[in-house]
Amino acid sequence: MQRITTFSNWLTRWFTLIVVIWAVVNYCIPTISVGGKSYTGYLIGVVLFGMGLTLSIDDFARIIKQPLMVIIGTVAHYVIMPLIAVALCWIFHLSGPLAVGVILVGCCPSGTSSNVMSFLSRGDVALDVSIGILSTLLAPIMIPTLMQVLASQYVAIPWQSLFVNALLVVLLPIALGVACHMLFKEKIQTVTPVLPIISQLAILAIIGIVVAVNHDRLFSSATLLAIPVVMLHNLCGYGLGYGFSKIMSKVYPQGFGYAQQKAITFEVGMQDSGLGATLALTSFAAAPLTAIPSTFFSVWHNISGSVLSTWWRNHDDRKAALHQ
């Protein structure tokens, strides 16, 4: 078990670099992963099943105990990121599948990466997890609804397909995971150290598949524009998420302290890009370009999140040292 924990820590520490290397490998040798296109739904289901295994009744009770902050954080996530996506599509004159892909990743719930970054920056991890749970549980309703409102001008939105796929890929695995946790609590605890490894390997597999499927189009003149758009999307999410939490700290200072501001910053700016890529490949199968923004986002937000969490921690350490 010690070896598993050591490997898990190593994988988490170098995950961003591994993502980049794996993406490059699949770009150079697409045959490695291209055959896995039909399995992306199962892969993200494995990630969310693992998430469900780690959840207990206490995690859901936390949402009830501090509903105001969790609800406000979730609303901020589902308002800020989709609207930034629409604004960037307008500014950069994106259209068709690429615009739909940018808006799709903007409409996704926050990913588990935000929990890690919040922990590394010494943010309120409990609040981060609670917002992540609620935003994920709402995803089957929020994603198709927001896509219909914001992206229907570009292509016809398969609302029913998005709803069914999100329901099967998101809620069903989480519900099964929670049920297994409740039924086999002590046994589940013995496999808990393995779960992060399985989740990260599944995310890597999804990234490899999307890169392989879009090999010929990934760095074309049309898709290259998605790189600065994705970077700005993520960075603006951080900025507006932090700005929103600072405003809320004036309105409700006892709830939105410094640690909570960090959590909301990551919760707003980081997306479940693996889910975005999966829904793109399943609900927009005829237009695989739709998955490219989610792929770029998956690589970039791990880089930016690592940099921001490190800066925040070092900033706090320097500040504490000055006051000693």
Side-chain angles (χ1 to χ4, degrees):
M1 189 60 69
Q2 181 59 40
R3 291 182 178 179
I4 293 174
T5 303
T6 301
F7 177 71
S8 178
N9 293 336
W10 176 86
L11 185 61
T12 299
R13 181 180 180 184
W14 297 104
F15 187 66
T16 300
L17 179 60
I18 293 170
V19 165
V20 174
I21 293 172
W22 182 239
V24 171
V25 168
N26 279 275
Y27 179 74
C28 297
I29 315 173
T31 52
I32 293 176
S33 301
V34 72
K37 181 181 177 180
S38 59
Y39 298 102
T40 53
Y42 298 109
L43 290 168
I44 197 67
V46 167
V47 175
L48 292 170
F49 175 73
M51 176 184 175
L53 284 177
T54 65
L55 298 177
S56 65
I57 299 300
D58 292 337
D59 293 302
F60 294 96
R62 207 164 41 227
I63 298 176
I64 299 172
K65 290 176 182 176
Q66 47 177 198
L68 181 62
M69 289 188 293
V70 176
I71 291 171
I72 288 176
T74 304
V75 170
H77 178 87
Y78 275 124
V79 170
I80 292 173
M81 291 304 278
L83 292 182
I84 294 175
V86 171
L88 289 171
C89 288
W90 178 76
I91 292 170
F92 285 86
H93 304 288
L94 298 184
S95 61
L98 207 58
V100 173
V102 170
I103 296 173
L104 177 59
V105 74
C107 294
C108 284
S110 58
T112 53
S113 294
S114 64
N115 301 342
V116 177
M117 302 310 169
S118 184
F119 170 75
L120 294 176
S121 68
R122 303 191 188 108
D124 188 336
V125 179
L127 176 61
D128 195 290
V129 170
S130 297
I131 295 173
I133 293 171
L134 185 58
S135 67
T136 301
L137 293 176
L138 291 174
I141 295 294
M142 296 305 299
I143 293 176
T145 301
L146 288 170
M147 288 296 292
Q148 182 64 41
V149 173
L150 301 176
S152 57
Q153 59 181 308
Y154 299 108
V155 297
I157 302 300
W159 195 96
Q160 185 176 1
S161 173
L162 271 175
F163 173 74
V164 172
N165 285 330
L167 199 66
L168 294 175
V169 169
V170 177
L171 287 192
L172 183 59
I174 290 178
L176 288 174
V178 172
C180 288
H181 182 102
M182 293 175 65
L183 291 172
F184 310 105
K185 188 172 183 179
E186 293 182 0
K187 293 182 180 179
I188 292 299
Q189 289 175 348
T190 62
V191 301
T192 298
V194 185
L195 297 179
I197 298 174
I198 295 173
S199 296
Q200 287 167 319
L201 292 177
I203 291 295
L204 282 171
I206 292 171
I207 292 171
I209 291 167
V210 176
V211 170
V213 168
N214 289 287
H215 168 259
D216 295 332
R217 298 172 292 266
L218 198 61
F219 294 112
S220 66
S221 57
T223 56
L224 277 175
L225 195 56
I227 296 177
V229 169
V230 161
M231 293 171 70
L232 284 171
H233 193 185
N234 170 240
L235 296 176
C236 288
Y238 289 150
L240 291 178
Y242 181 70
F244 171 78
S245 63
K246 287 290 286 185
I247 292 172
M248 288 305 302
S249 71
K250 306 295 182 184
V251 178
Y252 185 42
Q254 63 269 39
F256 290 86
Y258 188 45
Q260 289 72 41
Q261 291 166 27
K262 293 178 184 178
I264 290 177
T265 298
F266 287 115
E267 274 300 306
V268 170
M270 302 189 79
Q271 303 293 91
D272 191 344
S273 46
L275 175 60
T278 299
L279 292 177
L281 290 175
T282 52
S283 295
F284 298 94
L289 277 178
T290 309
I292 287 179
S294 291
T295 304
F296 287 156
F297 202 102
S298 186
V299 176
W300 168 251
H301 81 162
N302 277 295
I303 296 172
S304 66
S306 298
V307 171
L308 179 57
S309 61
T310 300
W311 177 86
W312 229 327
R313 188 175 63 250
N314 292 339
H315 171 268
D316 292 347
D317 288 342
R318 288 194 300 269
K319 190 174 180 180
L322 288 174
H323 288 84
Q324 284 182 351

